[in-house]
Amino acid sequence: MTIRVVVVDDQDMVRSGFAALLSAQSDIDVVGEAPNGRLGVEVSRSTHPDVVLMDVRMPEMDGLEAARRLLDPPPGVVHRPKVLMLTTFDIDDYVYEALHAGASGFLLKEAPVAELVQAVRVIAAGEALLAPSITRRLIEDVARRRPLPRPNTRLRLNGLTPRETEVLLLVARGLSNAEIASTLVVSEQTVKTHMSRLLAKLGARDRAQLVVMAYESGLVAPGTSG
């Protein structure tokens, strides 16, 4: 199956470079490009991509607002692509907000080509972006610098079983499914089952949002995730 991608970035060279790199892959088709968030939303609504690569800082409409509009569309709009934020380390706050809004994760603009391609494939398949430890470190860094909102998130965690809570804690600490299986001495398939239940019970889109919820609830505090 071909993965349909839209690239949204106000820097022409960056946008065209990403588009060219992705188009060179046999399983990826770049179906649109846009120089700002407003046009990015319009292009995405008309082309129905599987994945949108979204820059954070752009004129007219930034990537955060564009991600919100794509992930929480108005009535009548059914299509919701996966959103992959493009960022640098100096704008972590925006990326945290994007993850909270439902983005599947983030990718550094300086990432190697292979990492970019793999990131698109991973989130198109419904997984969280890249190594969970990267997302965890990002959120922990933001949490250290400003308090995270915790609107009823703790109450939602009360519905989890002790084992599900344990798995969520390990996810927030940055462990992969294989590492969680090794830690709990269970099969990786058992971990995947727990992950599916966590996503369903908490209404999370993917692993990245589970990490966000773990921090918002206070289950994990900055500096204690190990």
Side-chain angles (χ1 to χ4, degrees):
M1 183 186 74
T2 301
I3 302 169
R4 297 167 60 82
V5 177
V6 165
V7 181
V8 185
D9 195 299
D10 64 324
Q11 299 180 49
D12 291 344
M13 290 184 64
V14 173
R15 187 176 67 252
S16 60
F18 280 151
L21 291 170
L22 293 171
S23 294
Q25 308 302 311
S26 61
D27 60 336
I28 297 176
D29 183 16
V30 176
V31 297
E33 300 179 35
N36 59 60
R38 181 182 62 79
L39 290 175
V41 172
E42 291 181 8
V43 170
S44 297
R45 294 259 167 86
S46 63
T47 59
H48 292 182
D50 300 300
V51 177
V52 177
L53 265 66
M54 183 77 72
D55 188 22
V56 174
R57 289 179 174 172
M58 292 182 291
E60 294 194 46
M61 180 187 293
D62 64 26
L64 176 58
E65 179 59 28
R68 285 190 182 121
R69 295 192 183 193
L70 288 174
L71 297 168
D72 187 19
V77 177
V78 177
H79 180 256
R80 298 186 188 189
K82 300 294 177 64
V83 176
L84 172 56
M85 303 302 297
L86 300 172
T87 185
T88 56
F89 278 127
D90 63 342
I91 45 178
D92 288 347
D93 286 5
Y94 288 95
V95 179
Y96 167 76
E97 295 296 344
L99 291 174
H100 189 266
S104 293
F106 76 102
L107 182 72
L108 297 178
K109 286 190 175 182
E110 298 79 7
V113 174
E115 194 169 304
L116 167 66
V117 174
Q118 179 64 10
V120 169
R121 289 172 177 155
V122 165
I123 71 166
E127 301 295 331
L129 168 69
L130 303 179
S133 59
I134 297 175
T135 300
R136 184 264 300 170
R137 286 200 303 270
L138 166 71
I139 296 172
E140 179 167 318
D141 181 61
V142 177
R144 282 196 183 99
R145 291 185 282 113
R146 65 181 177 85
L148 296 179
R150 299 177 181 177
N152 300 322
T153 309
R154 185 73 212 185
L155 292 177
R156 297 169 73 180
L157 264 59
N158 289 342
L160 303 180
T161 66
R163 179 45 64 94
E164 288 166 351
T165 302
E166 192 174 12
V167 170
L168 178 59
L169 179 61
L170 295 175
V171 168
R173 286 177 173 169
L175 274 65
S176 66
N177 284 356
E179 291 168 334
I180 294 173
S182 177
T183 300
L184 300 179
V185 195
V186 297
S187 70
E188 193 166 346
Q189 183 57 51
T190 297
V191 175
K192 290 180 180 179
T193 299
H194 286 309
M195 288 293 297
S196 296
R197 290 173 179 166
L198 282 171
L199 292 170
K201 285 186 176 182
L202 297 178
R205 288 171 59 97
D206 54 30
R207 194 184 206 98
Q209 280 206 310
L210 289 179
V211 177
V212 170
M213 289 181 174
Y215 276 90
E216 288 187 334
S217 68
L219 180 66
V220 180
T224 64
S225 56

